[in-house]
Amino acid sequence: MSSQLSSQLNKPATQTAGAEGYNFAYLDEQSKRMIRRAMLKAVAIPGYQVPFGGREMPLPHGWGTGGMQLTATVIGEADTLKVIDQGADDTTNAVSIRRFFAKTAGVATTEHTADASLIQTRHRIPERQLRNDQILIYQVPIPEPLRFIEPRETETRKMHALREYGAMQVKLYEDVARFGHIATSYDYPVMVNDRYMMDPSPIPKFDNPKMNQMPALQLFGAGFEKRIYAVPPYTRVVSLDFDDYPFEVQSWEESCSICGSDHSFLDEVIMDDAGNKMFVCSDTDYCRERVEQGFTAENPEGQQGLTPEHNQVQQENKKQDDTKAEEMAL
Amino acid sequence: MNAIQNVNGQPLKGGKDTSAERQAGKWQDDAPLLSVRDICKFYAPGKGCGDVSFDLYPGEVLGIVGESGSGKSTLLSTLSARLQPDSGQVIYNSAQFGELDLYACDEAERRVLMRSEWGIVHQHARDGLRMNVSAGANIGERLMAVGERHYGSIREKAEEWLTAVEIDTGRIDDRPSQFSGGMQQRLQIARNLVTHPKLIFMDEPTGGLDVSVQARLLDLLRNLVSQLGLSVIIVTHDLAVARLLAHRLMVMRRGEVVETGLTDQVLDDPQHPYTQLLVSSILQN
Ligand SMILES: Nc1ncnc2c1ncn2[C@@H]1O[C@H](COP(=O)(O)OP(=O)(O)OP(=O)(O)O)[C@@H](O)[C@H]1O
Ligand SMILES: [Mg+2]
Ligand SMILES: [Zn+2]
């Protein structure tokens, strides 16, 4: 575990900022300590689901209390928080969660991936490559990847303990038998560190390769089922597949109608009653960043001779694409 | 079909072993596959099974018969590592692990056995099949569990085994819930046999089926068992089924074994009064 990671997790609980009458980041210190212990265990055993005695957060359903409890536990005064919902920072959920922590912890918030130290997410991993000094926190609805085939918890625990993952392959078999290819496109199961089968939460499989060897710490919180799991920085994460039907990510014929990107996850947007549609980056911050740098639908290569900053970002993105290509080649 | 082989790696061949072969005691040449010593499992006095000991040899089919409630299923569960006995030992001679004391060994080894060297055919197909996935996936699951990762070859083997149990390969993508009772049982058998197990446990595999469907299933079972050289422990209250499949019989009553012997001997010349009653009640039907 990197030193800044352990210092993040062991952050002293002395912060005072935040709303009157509440503890820092709302959650009481005893619960935070308990959750930190579970987190440390989760980091020590990548992909393993650690049970924790989760608290009820007084929040409306769908806010993702699992993710919020983890965020409340690791957040410190110096953090800058970003919240993504479906890739966007401006949905009701994302705005509410950001406000909640701005109010209860007094922390800075941002929509810029690059400026965030802590990112809570539902449904997406940012397109911009994350750094080792960042933490990505996922809200997870159903943490158990084997649940669909085995409803008994005692049995799924045994299957993990004994590494009995043949049943998981059945799901992929059914896909190929029915659709001629692996049609599972969200919640696509992965093997973590060559040991534990993990549900990556409902992110598109497009994002799966980003989990592999990610420099940032990835934490997963399931509030309803009270489970925490983690992928430490630079950990091997492999998507399941068949030898003759290898893992593939989604791809689009189209490019983003705003920034011209041909390498990001695109959302289809219906434009009018006539059914005209366009495709735009689901990661709104990434799209904005590209537009700021001069990329447009008409000029997807960007303008020549822009600022050095622009060139640097472009290079970073290229590097990210290269690693992606490498992973896919593996 | 030629990819389907018996446990010794030889291709399937037709033919059944004869009673003469059985009577010659050819089983005794090999070491026992399963050794059962003083197994006891009682839920209440008289309810369960007690003091059961026997050896099962490779290629042997043992029938367990007796009236309802006599403890047949309880015994079968303890023999197949699914129900911890109160006392006693079950030793299995594993190709992968050597001699295994089923209730003292590592659970991981026991579970590997259950999906590779063993098969379990349940009376109710829904207990032995995954009803919400296709027939092909039902057969392929064991292959994937032992590490097969090539879709094409999984599918090929699934088709071979569908053929072997006389199910049209065109039904490979249908779910078992769309199958008749007899087909579900045959699918269950295929699902078990795909990893070439040595020992199969069956609990009333023909129970609840129409008579003509039963006859076809029995015929299929008998052929597969002799062609693949399988060892089988089969529980049935139907003496006709026992007569057709089993080399040796164990008669149970109120949790105890009252008589054992070669099938023909037990059925044609029963010694214990309870067996005599059992046999005569069948004859009266
Ligand atoms: N889980 C259990 N708890 C308590 N009693 C049980 C349990 N399982 C079985 N029994 C009792 O043990 C006795 C033996 O049951 P078992 O199912 O082994 O009989 P069986 O010979 O298989 O009968 P059948 O032919 O009806 O299937 C019965 O009296 C049964 O009621
Ligand atoms: Mg029974
Ligand atoms: Zn865009």
Side-chain angles (χ1 to χ4, degrees), chain A residues 44-75:
Chain A
I45 316 171
Y48 173 75
Q49 298 167 50
V50 183
F52 73 106
R55 286 298 149 108
E56 297 305 327
M57 300 276 276
L59 299 169
H61 204 70
W63 269 44
T65 56
M68 293 206 49
Q69 289 180 78
L70 300 200
T71 301
T73 299
V74 297
I75 203 166

mmCIF file of all heavy atoms in Angstrom, chain A residues 44-75:
data_model
loop_
_atom_site.group_PDB
_atom_site.id
_atom_site.type_symbol
_atom_site.label_atom_id
_atom_site.label_comp_id
_atom_site.label_asym_id
_atom_site.label_seq_id
_atom_site.Cartn_x
_atom_site.Cartn_y
_atom_site.Cartn_z
ATOM 1 N N ALA A 44 -6.218 -4.909 1.511
ATOM 2 C CA ALA A 44 -5.236 -5.985 1.698
ATOM 3 C C ALA A 44 -5.607 -7.240 0.914
ATOM 4 O O ALA A 44 -4.737 -8.034 0.552
ATOM 5 C CB ALA A 44 -5.102 -6.315 3.187
ATOM 6 N N ILE A 45 -6.908 -7.433 0.656
ATOM 7 C CA ILE A 45 -7.360 -8.608 -0.105
ATOM 8 C C ILE A 45 -8.137 -8.095 -1.315
ATOM 9 O O ILE A 45 -9.363 -8.048 -1.306
ATOM 10 C CB ILE A 45 -8.268 -9.525 0.750
ATOM 11 C CG1 ILE A 45 -7.698 -9.715 2.154
ATOM 12 C CG2 ILE A 45 -8.453 -10.874 0.055
ATOM 13 C CD1 ILE A 45 -8.645 -10.420 3.113
ATOM 14 N N PRO A 46 -7.425 -7.736 -2.379
ATOM 15 C CA PRO A 46 -8.086 -7.094 -3.524
ATOM 16 C C PRO A 46 -9.252 -7.919 -4.077
ATOM 17 O O PRO A 46 -9.100 -9.116 -4.318
ATOM 18 C CB PRO A 46 -6.966 -6.995 -4.558
ATOM 19 C CG PRO A 46 -5.708 -6.984 -3.758
ATOM 20 C CD PRO A 46 -5.978 -7.862 -2.567
ATOM 21 N N GLY A 47 -10.405 -7.266 -4.218
ATOM 22 C CA GLY A 47 -11.571 -7.917 -4.812
ATOM 23 C C GLY A 47 -12.437 -8.686 -3.835
ATOM 24 O O GLY A 47 -13.535 -9.105 -4.182
ATOM 25 N N TYR A 48 -11.964 -8.864 -2.612
ATOM 26 C CA TYR A 48 -12.720 -9.626 -1.616
ATOM 27 C C TYR A 48 -13.757 -8.730 -0.942
ATOM 28 O O TYR A 48 -13.449 -7.603 -0.547
ATOM 29 C CB TYR A 48 -11.759 -10.197 -0.574
ATOM 30 C CG TYR A 48 -12.434 -10.867 0.601
ATOM 31 C CD1 TYR A 48 -13.016 -12.125 0.459
ATOM 32 C CD2 TYR A 48 -12.492 -10.243 1.846
ATOM 33 C CE1 TYR A 48 -13.640 -12.734 1.536
ATOM 34 C CE2 TYR A 48 -13.113 -10.852 2.929
ATOM 35 C CZ TYR A 48 -13.688 -12.095 2.767
ATOM 36 O OH TYR A 48 -14.308 -12.697 3.822
ATOM 37 N N GLN A 49 -14.978 -9.232 -0.816
ATOM 38 C CA GLN A 49 -16.049 -8.433 -0.216
ATOM 39 C C GLN A 49 -15.996 -8.507 1.303
ATOM 40 O O GLN A 49 -16.214 -9.570 1.882
ATOM 41 C CB GLN A 49 -17.407 -8.928 -0.678
ATOM 42 C CG GLN A 49 -17.643 -8.819 -2.169
ATOM 43 C CD GLN A 49 -18.863 -9.612 -2.584
ATOM 44 O OE1 GLN A 49 -19.918 -9.471 -1.999
ATOM 45 N NE2 GLN A 49 -18.701 -10.462 -3.580
ATOM 46 N N VAL A 50 -15.733 -7.380 1.944
ATOM 47 C CA VAL A 50 -15.642 -7.327 3.399
ATOM 48 C C VAL A 50 -16.970 -6.804 3.954
ATOM 49 O O VAL A 50 -17.411 -5.723 3.568
ATOM 50 C CB VAL A 50 -14.506 -6.383 3.847
ATOM 51 C CG1 VAL A 50 -14.381 -6.390 5.368
ATOM 52 C CG2 VAL A 50 -13.196 -6.768 3.183
ATOM 53 N N PRO A 51 -17.609 -7.578 4.832
ATOM 54 C CA PRO A 51 -18.854 -7.090 5.426
ATOM 55 C C PRO A 51 -18.557 -5.971 6.426
ATOM 56 O O PRO A 51 -17.501 -5.956 7.047
ATOM 57 C CB PRO A 51 -19.415 -8.308 6.170
ATOM 58 C CG PRO A 51 -18.475 -9.433 5.937
ATOM 59 C CD PRO A 51 -17.218 -8.895 5.352
ATOM 60 N N PHE A 52 -19.450 -5.024 6.559
ATOM 61 C CA PHE A 52 -19.276 -4.003 7.587
ATOM 62 C C PHE A 52 -20.649 -3.650 8.155
ATOM 63 O O PHE A 52 -21.664 -3.808 7.487
ATOM 64 C CB PHE A 52 -18.562 -2.767 7.038
ATOM 65 C CG PHE A 52 -19.408 -1.899 6.129
ATOM 66 C CD1 PHE A 52 -19.906 -0.687 6.565
ATOM 67 C CD2 PHE A 52 -19.690 -2.311 4.830
ATOM 68 C CE1 PHE A 52 -20.677 0.111 5.725
ATOM 69 C CE2 PHE A 52 -20.461 -1.521 3.989
ATOM 70 C CZ PHE A 52 -20.960 -0.307 4.429
ATOM 71 N N GLY A 53 -20.648 -3.215 9.398
ATOM 72 C CA GLY A 53 -21.907 -2.850 10.043
ATOM 73 C C GLY A 53 -22.329 -1.469 9.623
ATOM 74 O O GLY A 53 -22.228 -0.527 10.385
ATOM 75 N N GLY A 54 -22.790 -1.340 8.392
ATOM 76 C CA GLY A 54 -23.115 -0.022 7.846
ATOM 77 C C GLY A 54 -24.191 0.705 8.635
ATOM 78 O O GLY A 54 -25.077 0.095 9.212
ATOM 79 N N ARG A 55 -24.043 2.008 8.671
ATOM 80 C CA ARG A 55 -25.052 2.858 9.316
ATOM 81 C C ARG A 55 -26.112 3.223 8.304
ATOM 82 O O ARG A 55 -25.836 3.330 7.120
ATOM 83 C CB ARG A 55 -24.395 4.152 9.814
ATOM 84 C CG ARG A 55 -23.540 3.993 11.022
ATOM 85 C CD ARG A 55 -24.379 3.516 12.192
ATOM 86 N NE ARG A 55 -23.560 2.695 13.063
ATOM 87 C CZ ARG A 55 -23.140 3.097 14.256
ATOM 88 N NH1 ARG A 55 -23.468 4.267 14.713
ATOM 89 N NH2 ARG A 55 -22.410 2.290 14.996
ATOM 90 N N GLU A 56 -27.296 3.497 8.803
ATOM 91 C CA GLU A 56 -28.305 4.073 7.920
ATOM 92 C C GLU A 56 -27.982 5.558 7.802
ATOM 93 O O GLU A 56 -27.872 6.254 8.805
ATOM 94 C CB GLU A 56 -29.705 3.885 8.511
ATOM 95 C CG GLU A 56 -30.128 2.425 8.667
ATOM 96 C CD GLU A 56 -30.029 1.613 7.372
ATOM 97 O OE1 GLU A 56 -30.243 2.196 6.301
ATOM 98 O OE2 GLU A 56 -29.717 0.409 7.450
ATOM 99 N N MET A 57 -27.790 6.021 6.581
ATOM 100 C CA MET A 57 -27.644 7.457 6.383
ATOM 101 C C MET A 57 -29.058 7.978 6.096
ATOM 102 O O MET A 57 -29.803 7.340 5.365
ATOM 103 C CB MET A 57 -26.731 7.753 5.189
ATOM 104 C CG MET A 57 -25.317 7.205 5.286
ATOM 105 S SD MET A 57 -24.148 8.230 6.188
ATOM 106 C CE MET A 57 -23.597 9.395 4.942
ATOM 107 N N PRO A 58 -29.411 9.108 6.671
ATOM 108 C CA PRO A 58 -30.777 9.607 6.467
ATOM 109 C C PRO A 58 -30.926 10.232 5.085
ATOM 110 O O PRO A 58 -31.066 11.440 4.952
ATOM 111 C CB PRO A 58 -30.919 10.659 7.572
ATOM 112 C CG PRO A 58 -29.537 11.158 7.774
ATOM 113 C CD PRO A 58 -28.595 10.035 7.441
ATOM 114 N N LEU A 59 -30.873 9.388 4.064
ATOM 115 C CA LEU A 59 -30.854 9.892 2.695
ATOM 116 C C LEU A 59 -31.927 9.210 1.879
ATOM 117 O O LEU A 59 -32.291 8.078 2.156
ATOM 118 C CB LEU A 59 -29.495 9.559 2.059
ATOM 119 C CG LEU A 59 -28.284 10.166 2.736
ATOM 120 C CD1 LEU A 59 -27.028 9.533 2.184
ATOM 121 C CD2 LEU A 59 -28.259 11.668 2.534
ATOM 122 N N PRO A 60 -32.427 9.900 0.871
ATOM 123 C CA PRO A 60 -33.412 9.254 0.012
ATOM 124 C C PRO A 60 -32.788 8.071 -0.721
ATOM 125 O O PRO A 60 -31.584 8.056 -0.969
ATOM 126 C CB PRO A 60 -33.818 10.355 -0.971
ATOM 127 C CG PRO A 60 -32.812 11.424 -0.832
ATOM 128 C CD PRO A 60 -32.123 11.263 0.472
ATOM 129 N N HIS A 61 -33.627 7.103 -1.038
ATOM 130 C CA HIS A 61 -33.171 5.918 -1.743
ATOM 131 C C HIS A 61 -32.552 6.323 -3.079
ATOM 132 O O HIS A 61 -32.991 7.269 -3.695
ATOM 133 C CB HIS A 61 -34.357 4.985 -1.976
ATOM 134 C CG HIS A 61 -33.936 3.571 -2.154
ATOM 135 N ND1 HIS A 61 -33.435 2.812 -1.115
ATOM 136 C CD2 HIS A 61 -33.922 2.772 -3.245
ATOM 137 C CE1 HIS A 61 -33.139 1.619 -1.563
ATOM 138 N NE2 HIS A 61 -33.423 1.557 -2.845
ATOM 139 N N GLY A 62 -31.521 5.617 -3.498
ATOM 140 C CA GLY A 62 -30.918 5.918 -4.793
ATOM 141 C C GLY A 62 -29.746 6.890 -4.685
ATOM 142 O O GLY A 62 -29.059 7.147 -5.653
ATOM 143 N N TRP A 63 -29.504 7.382 -3.497
ATOM 144 C CA TRP A 63 -28.353 8.258 -3.324
ATOM 145 C C TRP A 63 -27.066 7.446 -3.240
ATOM 146 O O TRP A 63 -25.988 7.999 -3.307
ATOM 147 C CB TRP A 63 -28.510 9.079 -2.030
ATOM 148 C CG TRP A 63 -29.180 10.372 -2.259
ATOM 149 C CD1 TRP A 63 -30.273 10.584 -3.025
ATOM 150 C CD2 TRP A 63 -28.795 11.639 -1.716
ATOM 151 N NE1 TRP A 63 -30.604 11.905 -2.984
ATOM 152 C CE2 TRP A 63 -29.713 12.580 -2.188
ATOM 153 C CE3 TRP A 63 -27.772 12.053 -0.872
ATOM 154 C CZ2 TRP A 63 -29.630 13.917 -1.852
ATOM 155 C CZ3 TRP A 63 -27.701 13.388 -0.534
ATOM 156 C CH2 TRP A 63 -28.626 14.318 -1.030
ATOM 157 N N GLY A 64 -27.233 6.168 -3.022
ATOM 158 C CA GLY A 64 -26.045 5.329 -2.919
ATOM 159 C C GLY A 64 -25.363 5.501 -1.583
ATOM 160 O O GLY A 64 -24.268 6.069 -1.475
ATOM 161 N N THR A 65 -26.019 5.008 -0.531
ATOM 162 C CA THR A 65 -25.481 5.220 0.813
ATOM 163 C C THR A 65 -24.145 4.506 0.999
ATOM 164 O O THR A 65 -23.325 4.933 1.798
ATOM 165 C CB THR A 65 -26.459 4.732 1.890
ATOM 166 O OG1 THR A 65 -26.743 3.368 1.633
ATOM 167 C CG2 THR A 65 -27.730 5.534 1.867
ATOM 168 N N GLY A 66 -23.920 3.402 0.244
ATOM 169 C CA GLY A 66 -22.651 2.690 0.364
ATOM 170 C C GLY A 66 -21.495 3.590 -0.034
ATOM 171 O O GLY A 66 -20.515 3.749 0.699
ATOM 172 N N GLY A 67 -21.618 4.217 -1.201
ATOM 173 C CA GLY A 67 -20.585 5.127 -1.667
ATOM 174 C C GLY A 67 -20.435 6.320 -0.733
ATOM 175 O O GLY A 67 -19.316 6.754 -0.419
ATOM 176 N N MET A 68 -21.557 6.821 -0.250
ATOM 177 C CA MET A 68 -21.499 8.003 0.617
ATOM 178 C C MET A 68 -20.814 7.709 1.943
ATOM 179 O O MET A 68 -20.099 8.549 2.482
ATOM 180 C CB MET A 68 -22.914 8.529 0.855
ATOM 181 C CG MET A 68 -23.473 9.051 -0.441
ATOM 182 S SD MET A 68 -24.716 10.298 -0.304
ATOM 183 C CE MET A 68 -24.117 11.508 0.785
ATOM 184 N N GLN A 69 -21.055 6.506 2.467
ATOM 185 C CA GLN A 69 -20.394 6.173 3.731
ATOM 186 C C GLN A 69 -18.882 6.087 3.552
ATOM 187 O O GLN A 69 -18.122 6.506 4.428
ATOM 188 C CB GLN A 69 -20.941 4.856 4.283
ATOM 189 C CG GLN A 69 -22.356 5.006 4.805
ATOM 190 C CD GLN A 69 -22.894 3.709 5.357
ATOM 191 O OE1 GLN A 69 -22.572 3.307 6.458
ATOM 192 N NE2 GLN A 69 -23.703 3.039 4.578
ATOM 193 N N LEU A 70 -18.459 5.540 2.418
ATOM 194 C CA LEU A 70 -17.019 5.474 2.164
ATOM 195 C C LEU A 70 -16.447 6.879 1.990
ATOM 196 O O LEU A 70 -15.397 7.217 2.550
ATOM 197 C CB LEU A 70 -16.719 4.649 0.907
ATOM 198 C CG LEU A 70 -17.170 3.194 0.868
ATOM 199 C CD1 LEU A 70 -16.382 2.439 -0.196
ATOM 200 C CD2 LEU A 70 -16.980 2.510 2.201
ATOM 201 N N THR A 71 -17.152 7.701 1.223
ATOM 202 C CA THR A 71 -16.675 9.071 1.027
ATOM 203 C C THR A 71 -16.600 9.801 2.363
ATOM 204 O O THR A 71 -15.593 10.446 2.686
ATOM 205 C CB THR A 71 -17.603 9.821 0.046
ATOM 206 O OG1 THR A 71 -17.604 9.114 -1.197
ATOM 207 C CG2 THR A 71 -17.123 11.241 -0.195
ATOM 208 N N ALA A 72 -17.646 9.672 3.173
ATOM 209 C CA ALA A 72 -17.670 10.342 4.479
ATOM 210 C C ALA A 72 -16.503 9.875 5.346
ATOM 211 O O ALA A 72 -15.965 10.629 6.159
ATOM 212 C CB ALA A 72 -18.995 10.060 5.181
ATOM 213 N N THR A 73 -16.096 8.618 5.144
ATOM 214 C CA THR A 73 -15.051 8.039 5.975
ATOM 215 C C THR A 73 -13.646 8.478 5.555
ATOM 216 O O THR A 73 -12.789 8.693 6.396
ATOM 217 C CB THR A 73 -15.156 6.497 5.946
ATOM 218 O OG1 THR A 73 -16.425 6.131 6.458
ATOM 219 C CG2 THR A 73 -14.078 5.852 6.772
ATOM 220 N N VAL A 74 -13.410 8.604 4.255
ATOM 221 C CA VAL A 74 -12.045 8.944 3.824
ATOM 222 C C VAL A 74 -11.847 10.445 3.631
ATOM 223 O O VAL A 74 -10.719 10.922 3.567
ATOM 224 C CB VAL A 74 -11.627 8.228 2.512
ATOM 225 C CG1 VAL A 74 -11.612 6.738 2.699
ATOM 226 C CG2 VAL A 74 -12.526 8.614 1.359
ATOM 227 N N ILE A 75 -12.926 11.204 3.567
ATOM 228 C CA ILE A 75 -12.788 12.624 3.213
ATOM 229 C C ILE A 75 -12.129 13.408 4.351
ATOM 230 O O ILE A 75 -12.354 13.127 5.533
ATOM 231 C CB ILE A 75 -14.166 13.219 2.829
ATOM 232 C CG1 ILE A 75 -13.991 14.448 1.948
ATOM 233 C CG2 ILE A 75 -14.998 13.526 4.070
ATOM 234 C CD1 ILE A 75 -15.286 14.875 1.253
#
